[in-house]
Amino acid sequence: MSLLQYAQKLYSLDTLDPRFTSSSKAPPKASSNSQLDPAKTSTKEAETDARLQSSGKSTALQDVASPPLWRTPEFYIYYVVFLICVPLMFKAVYDVSKPSHPNYKNYADLLSPGWIPGRMVDNSDNQYSTFRDNLPYMFILIVIHPLLRKFYEGAYPLKDASQKTSTTQEQKGVSTFPPELAEARMSRRVTFDLYFALIFLCALHGFSALKVLLILYTNFLIAKRSPRQYVIAATWVFNVGILFANELGKGYPYSTIVASILPWSTTHDAGVDAKPVSNWGSTLDGYGGLVPRWEILFNITILRLISFNLDYTWSSDRGRSSPVEKKQLDLANLSDRERVDTPARYQDYSFRNYLAYVLYSPLYLAGPIISFNDYISQAHYTPRSVTTSRTILYGVRFLICLLTMEVMLHFIYAVAISKAQPAWEIYTPFQLSMLGYFNLHLIWLKLLLPWRFFRFWALLDGVDPPENMVRCMSDNYSTLAFWRGWHRSLNRWIVRYLYVPLGGSGGSQTRGNWGKARAGLNFLTVFMFVALWHDIQLRLLMWGWLISLFVLPEILASFLFPRKKWQNHKTVYRWICGVGAVGNILMMMAANLVGFAVGLDGLQGLVHGIVGSYSGLVFLATACAALFVGVQVMFETRAQELRQGIKMKC
């Protein structure tokens, strides 16, 4: 196997997530665990590709795609632009990160000693530094967890006459357990998940684990004890209320609780505020575990609480009708969509399974998010997409991304510079724009790395959650498509549990002017929820409003310039779309800089520094031309995917 073949397999969509290379209604492709050459197409993959071709889907997509443009004179010009611009972009932000730069002294205290000789490291982002500093311990954890599961499964083997055959088949990537064995497998996996999760929870949060368990139990009671017609409303009210309560109560310290219930047992500060200083609750707060501020990480758990309650309610609404029998589904070979949509059996919505799902260790801290139905389905049958070769390749991709982040943090100090709130006028317009651009790239990487690490852990454990980051941040030109691919598991969750129940953007309830207004209101509601879910801050609310606003030009342009009317002028249409895409990119960068980087004041400083002079305006025009070139390459990349029978919708 050549190095080029290995690189092609490593960076293929099939390695990233088989959901992208197969229909959501068809089971994902499997590759043999015993396959030593990951660049070689397995027999099963070839058979699946043949079925896809025979179904006509791949051919239909190829017909839609335009002829390749990679070797045209237009694109040779674009290659020259890339060769000139990309090195200059890195050089601009590297130059402002040198110790010789006048602003260096203002943020030098935010830098730490690095492992690359002669370089400091920008570890000033609190969110990422927590992940980075604890990464060695987490690597140990993802080794211990699968080993403990092996020991547990060895101590409690599945007792079935067909066990040997089924185990052999599972090792080959085919989940063909008989129903009785699948049920026993689910029970064994869930029991281990629960035991390990409780230990993991206590290690993370100490005595605060009791608070987490109390919230979980209350949510379970809402699902099981509330009148059926009120469960969904009560679930949303309770969980959104918890988001606000966690923020306002700052995690409900035991010292504050004891001071409220037993005020005579508490000593207070002298002064007007008279805050409680010590009581026996303070002792419990002192054992807060590795992550004392549990409420910061609880937002992701909120999504799983809602998922369980709604999946349970919707399964009850089906009555006695079974979609498995009605559609003649093979439970051992469900597609991704079928795993999500097919309800579990009534007895599977138990408190044990609920706790194991909500606290499932590989996905507890940061996701990706899977529904309760999907978790139970994968507990019964290992997905065919989970194979040794694919998991190894995914792990290699994670390590490459981690190394990329380390090199950037050692040579590009964009985060520290923005934190120091410098006088932006000391930078040229080009340097200012590159500081904003690389700041967004660092945000993308700091989110991608934890998500991919925990997904890698889940894959090692035999669970296949969706990939959160589909494309590189620089490979996006559509606002709508960007949000389908950014935090993709959250997007899928939003669509299933919020957007569609609200009415979505189509159907009989969204026709006419009122229907369009309602669809717009649904979109605004979604981003308002997403902003509040991230953090209850004004800048994130502004981010949600900006995103909702910036979607409108793209929607309007799609009505004014429909593709079908430009079939005889495809090149002109592509260029018109390129101009609109440049505007989209500028608006997305602005919104995300406000929400996740420099805030509104910082953005105003950046914009003024760029467009506040004649030279800045000249640079902005040049930058837009460069973005136009990048957009044309993005268009052709997606056209190439269509030629290969792949439509990612992002």
Side-chain angles (χ1 to χ4, degrees), residues 527-637:
F527 274 99
M528 286 281 287
F529 171 77
V530 172
L532 292 173
W533 176 80
H534 276 93
D535 203 353
I536 302 174
Q537 295 183 11
L538 179 60
R539 66 184 179 90
L540 285 173
L541 282 175
M542 289 191 293
W543 166 82
W545 296 331
L546 287 173
I547 291 297
S548 301
L549 178 64
F550 292 163
V551 165
L552 296 179
E554 182 175 343
I555 296 175
L556 181 61
S558 66
F559 283 111
L560 295 177
F561 299 95
R563 178 188 295 270
K564 62 183 180 181
K565 291 186 178 180
W566 294 81
Q567 292 300 313
N568 298 326
H569 306 281
K570 292 184 178 181
T571 300
V572 176
Y573 181 73
R574 176 166 53 84
W575 290 344
I576 292 174
C577 291
V579 173
V582 170
N584 261 355
I585 292 172
L586 294 176
M587 289 187 292
M588 285 192 291
M589 290 180 65
N592 286 299
L593 282 170
V594 169
F596 299 101
V598 298
L600 186 60
D601 292 338
L603 178 66
Q604 290 174 340
L606 283 172
V607 172
H608 182 267
I610 294 174
V611 302
S613 63
Y614 176 76
S615 61
L617 292 173
V618 172
F619 162 74
L620 181 61
T622 306
C624 288
L627 286 175
F628 178 85
V629 170
V631 166
Q632 296 304 315
V633 175
M634 295 182 212
F635 288 165
E636 185 60 17
T637 300

Side-chain angles (χ1 to χ4, degrees), residues 632-649:
Q632 296 304 315
V633 175
M634 295 182 212
F635 288 165
E636 185 60 17
T637 300
R638 285 153 180 78
Q640 182 66 32
E641 291 170 355
L642 288 177
R643 296 181 201 112
Q644 297 170 353
I646 299 171
K647 186 175 182 180
M648 295 176 61
K649 299 181 181 180

Side-chain angles (χ1 to χ4, degrees), residues 5 29 32 53 62 95 105 113 146 223 231 261 287 289 316 326 366 422 486 505 551 629 638:
Q5 287 177 317
K29 296 180 290 184
S32 173
Q53 291 284 352
Q62 291 170 3
D95 287 343
K105 62 181 183 296
V231 170
I261 300 175
Y287 294 93
S316 302
K326 183 178 180 180
W486 177 282
S505 59
V551 165
V629 170
R638 285 153 180 78

Side-chain angles (χ1 to χ4, degrees), residues 14-201:
D14 189 62
T15 295
L16 185 63
D17 193 336
R19 294 171 178 86
F20 301 138
T21 54
S22 60
S23 169
S24 62
K25 298 180 180 180
K29 296 180 290 184
S31 60
S32 173
N33 281 354
S34 60
Q35 182 180 322
L36 298 178
D37 185 354
K40 182 180 178 181
T41 303
S42 69
T43 303
K44 295 183 181 65
E45 287 176 334
E47 291 173 352
T48 306
D49 289 339
R51 290 196 300 270
L52 185 62
Q53 291 284 352
S54 64
S55 68
K57 176 183 177 182
S58 179
T59 304
L61 291 176
Q62 291 170 3
D63 291 342
V64 173
S66 57
L69 299 175
W70 298 116
R71 298 181 182 275
T72 60
E74 176 189 353
F75 269 69
Y76 282 123
I77 295 174
Y78 295 161
Y79 302 150
V80 174
V81 174
F82 266 80
L83 289 174
I84 295 173
C85 289
V86 173
L88 289 177
M89 291 165 66
F90 279 93
K91 183 179 183 301
V93 73
Y94 173 70
D95 287 343
V96 301
S97 301
K98 289 180 178 179
S100 57
H101 193 273
N103 190 48
Y104 182 83
K105 62 181 183 296
N106 295 326
Y107 63 84
D109 59 322
L110 297 175
L111 305 179
S112 308
W115 55 268
I116 296 180
R119 297 297 303 179
M120 302 291 281
V121 62
D122 183 0
N123 199 30
S124 59
D125 184 277
N126 294 329
Q127 186 180 22
Y128 183 72
S129 65
T130 301
F131 173 78
R132 183 178 185 270
D133 295 343
N134 289 286
L135 195 55
Y137 307 107
M138 290 190 289
F139 271 118
I140 295 173
L141 189 61
I142 67 171
V143 173
I144 293 176
H145 179 259
L147 290 177
L148 287 177
R149 186 183 290 281
K150 290 290 184 183
F151 287 138
Y152 182 83
E153 291 177 351
Y156 299 94
L158 300 180
K159 297 179 180 180
D160 188 275
S162 58
Q163 176 185 355
K164 184 175 180 180
T165 302
S166 299
T167 303
T168 302
Q169 290 172 327
E170 183 184 27
Q171 290 172 349
K172 292 181 179 179
V174 182
S175 300
T176 55
F177 285 162
E180 299 80 8
L181 191 59
E183 183 62 27
R185 180 183 187 275
M186 185 276 289
S187 180
R188 186 178 65 176
R189 279 191 64 89
V190 167
T191 301
F192 175 83
D193 288 344
L194 179 58
Y195 289 156
F196 189 91
L198 291 175
I199 297 172
F200 188 56
L201 185 70

Side-chain angles (χ1 to χ4, degrees), residues 11 19 28 63 86 92 133 168 308 333 408 415 423 490 524 533 544:
Y11 284 97
R19 294 171 178 86
D63 291 342
V86 173
D133 295 343
T168 302
F308 174 84
N333 201 28
M408 288 186 67
V415 177
L490 175 61
L524 179 61
W533 176 80

